[in-house]
């Protein structure tokens, strides 16, 4: 590719001013340690991964090197920053449900059916964005399932964009196997269909703010041509990346022994909180995939639709409002992640167990649309609990068994069955009490709010 800046010649093409060579070399080492040999010429850098995704979608072709607009396929649920990039470019977005086992990637059979349906309607899908480490559901894609999805996508001529931002947040690296689509397809030479993205800021930030984004492009074929076009776009846009940010990103990508130890310890601690939160959610009767990474759990309360509807909660926005009113700003409805608003799904964060909610939060039965009451420094947890300090508008009765039966689009709850779930939240709270007494107390409050919201009771 022809260079457009002095001093940046060679096959790799032009490099934007915001992509210092030292940072690209550090990113190369980062991916090499994860089984993806990478040269600095294959790396692009931007202030965050959303800008890189925008550039990739803008530069994507039809697989034969011809520019093509095409549509974008996303799993649902998926991170909220995927779809806006496609829509900014005028691309149609089609969502595909995730399988029962995990989030982050589409069910392979549903993917093929969606491609067939989209093409029969006169559209042409070009790109599939997925994540082997899914921040929304806190789950990792099993390699065998990922292989099926990759085979289907390549057979249909799709470009795979693999967001691997959260792959280093696994709670137990010895129990969770993560494989990049680029690594999986390399032996057959099909990795030219894969672009890898990562954002260095999101996992480290409690509120998920973007940081420095990096992208890895294949060294040959379709992916190499795509990388060249992306570099041209970034050179033209000249996104600002400060020297301080670049230096910090280089240090993070170099991964000193101390940084790896701190990251591992943090992931382990977050895992304890996530498992405890999962216990509270499933003992209240919701369906929820067991978390294995990150700081979120994704709960499905659709089985309680009649009970929730009686309280005016008929969709995800109202479910979010009710939980925010009771627990603070730590719940987000599934509509924010591409699920249909009518589906009663919600994402909860482990920050709920480590930050004191407002003592004056209204009960969970409050009218939807209440304000997101923030944390109160030094506040107590003696605030009203849903359905207990508020009006007596909840019928009493035995709660559903932990896990229960499957619901459409929801993963299996661990420990299904009345005996398996009984007392798990209490045991989790007891294990946290010594080190994190506030977390133990918060866990009990979360369980009470969820149980009362569904007219159930802790098992």
């Amino acid at each position: 590719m022809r260079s457009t800046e002095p001093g940046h010649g060679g096959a790799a093409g032009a490099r934007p001013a915001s992509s210092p060579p030292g940072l690209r070399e550090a990113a190369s080492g980062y991916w090499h340690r994860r089984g993806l040999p990478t040269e600095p010429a294959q790396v692009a850098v931007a202030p965050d991964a959303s800008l890189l995704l925008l550039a990739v979608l803008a530069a994507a072709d039809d697989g034969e090197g011809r520019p093509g607009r095409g549509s974008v396929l996303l799993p649902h649920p998926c991170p909220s920053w995927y779809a806006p990039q496609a829509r900014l470019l005028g691309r149609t977005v089609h969502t595909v449900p995730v399988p029962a086992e995990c989030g982050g990637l589409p069910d392979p059979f549903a993917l093929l059916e969606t491609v067939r349906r989209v093409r029969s309607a006169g559209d042409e899908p070009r790109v599939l964005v997925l994540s082997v480490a899914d921040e929304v559901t806190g789950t990792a894609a099993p390699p065998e399932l990922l292989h099926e999805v990759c085979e289907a996508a390549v057979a249909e001529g799709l470009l795979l964009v693999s967001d691997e931002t959260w792959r280093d947040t696994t709670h137990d690296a010895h129990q969770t196997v993560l494989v990049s689509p680029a690594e999986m397809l390399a032996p057959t030479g099909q990795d030219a269909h894969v672009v890898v993205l990562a954002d260095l800021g999101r996992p480290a930030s409690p509120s998920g703010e973007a940081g420095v984004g990096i992208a890895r492009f294949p060294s040959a074929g379709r992916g190499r041509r795509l990388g060249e076009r992306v570099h041209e776009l970034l050179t033209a846009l000249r996104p600002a990346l400060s020297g301080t940010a670049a230096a910090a990103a280089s240090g993070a990508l170099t991964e000193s022994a101390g940084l790896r130890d701190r990251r591992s310890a943090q992931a382990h601690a977050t895992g304890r909180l996530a498992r405890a939160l999962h216990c509270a959610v499933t003992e209240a009767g919701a369906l929820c995939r067991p978390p294995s990474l990150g700081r979120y759990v994704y709960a499905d309360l659709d089985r309680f639709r009649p009970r929730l509807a009686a309280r005016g909660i008929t969709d995800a926005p109202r479910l979010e409002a009710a939980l925010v009113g009771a627990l603070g700003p730590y719940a987000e409805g599934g509509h924010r992640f591409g699920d249909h608003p009518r589906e009663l799904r919600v994402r909860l964060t482990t920050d709920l167990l480590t930050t004191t909610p407002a003592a004056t939060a209204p009960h969970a039965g409050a009218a939807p649309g209440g304000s997101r009451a923030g944390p109160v420094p030094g506040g107590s947890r003696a605030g009203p609990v849903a359905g207990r300090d508020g009006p007596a508008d909840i019928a009493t009765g035995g709660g559903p068994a932990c896990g229960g039966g499957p619901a459409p689009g929801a993963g299996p709850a661990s420990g299904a069955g009345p005996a398996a779930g009984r007392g798990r939240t209490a045991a989790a709270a007891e294990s946290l009490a010594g080190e994190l007494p506030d977390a133990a107390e918060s866990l009990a409050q979360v369980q009470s709010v969820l149980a009362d919201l569904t007219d159930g009771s802790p098992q």
Side-chain angles (χ1 to χ4, degrees):
M1 171 182 159
R2 178 176 55 85
S3 173
T4 59
E5 286 189 354
H8 289 87
R15 294 286 182 260
S18 61
S19 181
L23 182 50
R24 297 197 306 273
E25 290 170 0
S28 299
Y30 170 87
W31 274 310
H32 185 82
R33 290 188 294 275
R34 286 155 181 77
L36 292 175
T38 305
E39 296 297 326
Q42 295 173 247
V43 177
V45 180
D48 62 72
S50 60
L51 177 57
L52 287 171
L53 178 59
L54 181 69
V56 168
L57 296 179
D61 58 33
D62 62 357
E64 302 296 331
R66 298 184 296 270
R69 291 182 59 78
S71 55
V72 178
L73 300 174
L74 303 176
H76 74 83
C78 71
S80 58
W81 57 276
Y82 289 178
Q85 313 310 314
R87 294 188 175 116
L88 277 173
L89 297 169
R91 307 292 178 89
T92 302
V93 173
H94 303 281
T95 63
V96 188
V98 300
E101 296 92 326
C102 66
L105 75 173
D107 177 271
F109 296 104
L111 172 63
L112 290 172
E113 174 58 26
T114 300
V115 170
R116 184 201 63 77
R117 176 174 51 80
V118 169
R119 285 177 176 159
S120 67
D123 196 358
E124 184 59 36
R126 302 285 189 207
V127 181
L128 169 63
V129 184
L130 55 79
S131 175
V132 295
D134 182 38
E135 68 160 294
V136 179
T137 62
T139 58
E144 62 276 9
L145 184 59
L146 176 63
H147 188 263
E148 291 183 44
V149 172
C150 289
E151 280 192 330
V154 171
E156 296 298 334
L158 301 177
L159 173 72
L160 282 161
V161 180
S162 178
D163 173 21
E164 299 178 14
T165 294
W166 291 76
R167 67 172 296 161
D168 296 321
T169 66
T170 53
H171 303 155
D172 187 340
H174 299 291
Q175 293 185 6
T176 304
V177 178
L178 281 173
V179 183
S180 171
E183 181 183 2
M184 182 170 284
L185 295 175
T188 61
Q190 295 177 314
D191 56 323
H193 291 264
V194 184
V195 176
V196 180
L197 293 182
D199 194 305
L200 305 181
R202 294 181 192 272
S205 167
S207 53
E209 288 101 346
V212 175
I214 55 175
R216 177 193 183 272
F217 296 92
S219 59
R222 175 188 189 182
R224 180 181 183 276
R225 295 192 300 271
L226 176 64
E228 291 170 348
R229 287 194 291 271
V230 167
H231 285 307
E232 288 177 339
L233 284 170
L234 293 177
T235 298
L237 292 173
R238 293 184 177 274
L241 181 64
S242 70
T244 302
S250 294
L253 290 167
T254 302
E255 297 180 304
S256 66
L259 184 148
R260 291 196 302 270
D261 290 343
R262 290 192 300 273
R263 185 172 62 203
S264 177
Q266 179 61 46
H268 178 73
T270 302
R272 291 182 62 197
L273 296 172
R275 288 189 295 273
L277 188 56
H278 176 260
C279 285
V281 167
T282 54
E283 282 197 27
L287 296 180
C288 185
R289 296 173 180 86
S292 58
L293 56 87
R295 57 176 175 264
Y296 301 108
V297 299
Y298 199 68
D300 188 325
L301 282 78
D302 199 74
R303 63 189 301 182
F304 300 108
R305 181 173 294 278
R307 298 177 184 177
L308 293 172
R311 306 183 63 183
I313 301 173
T314 57
D315 54 24
R318 288 178 173 85
L319 177 60
E320 175 189 281
L323 289 172
V324 166
L327 298 170
Y330 309 109
E332 296 175 280
H335 61 294
R336 299 183 183 276
F337 309 106
D339 273 339
H340 194 283
R342 185 164 168 72
E343 296 170 319
L344 293 170
R345 297 175 187 161
V346 64
R347 186 178 78 168
L348 300 173
T349 172
T350 56
D351 297 338
L352 178 58
L353 304 183
T354 58
T355 307
T356 303
T360 57
H363 64 88
S371 63
R372 288 176 173 261
V376 175
S380 72
R381 296 185 181 276
V385 176
R388 307 226 173 171
D389 298 310
D393 58 350
I394 301 177
T396 59
C402 182
S414 66
R422 188 169 290 118
R424 290 184 301 117
T425 306
E430 185 177 349
S431 70
L432 293 172
E435 302 172 45
L436 299 167
D438 280 352
E441 189 175 350
S442 293
L443 186 63
Q445 181 176 355
V446 171
Q447 187 181 29
S448 294
V449 166
L450 290 173
D452 288 343
L453 189 66
T454 59
D455 289 355
S457 61
Q459 294 295 312

